Amino acid sequence: MSQATDLAAAAGSTDPRVGLRAVLALRRLLERLEVVQVDNARRQGWSWQEIADALEVSRQGVHKKHAGRASARTQGGA
């Protein structure tokens, strides 16, 4: 079983402490995955609008969240 699968199962625990810790860990994992995939998209020449569309968020929101990071800046900037 993968770590993500274990965390998803733990998030459904009837013990709030276990469930909430799993939710926190999943949130952190999700944030790391988003960074990896946004960087990947920028390296492949995707516009901020294309990334925003894929994530179903606004262009301004995704740009504000990711454009300031060093890896995003070195891959095409704004």
Side-chain angles (χ1 to χ4, degrees), residues 1 3 7 10-12 15-18 23 32 37 43-44 46 49 54 56 64 74:
M1 208 180 260
Q3 179 184 12
L7 289 172
D15 180 341
R17 187 175 314 279
V18 171
V23 167
R32 290 193 305 267
Q37 292 304 327
R43 271 194 304 278
Q44 292 185 30
W46 283 38
Q49 186 62 59
E56 297 185 0
K64 181 178 179 180
T74 60

Side-chain angles (χ1 to χ4, degrees), residues 28-64:
R28 289 176 177 165
L29 175 60
L30 176 65
E31 288 298 319
R32 290 193 305 267
L33 289 171
E34 183 175 317
V35 166
V36 167
Q37 292 304 327
V38 167
D39 288 349
N40 183 40
R42 294 296 293 163
R43 271 194 304 278
Q44 292 185 30
W46 283 38
S47 69
W48 289 112
Q49 186 62 59
E50 289 172 307
I51 295 168
D53 290 345
L55 292 173
E56 297 185 0
V57 297
S58 72
R59 180 194 59 78
Q60 294 85 355
V62 76
H63 184 265
K64 181 178 179 180

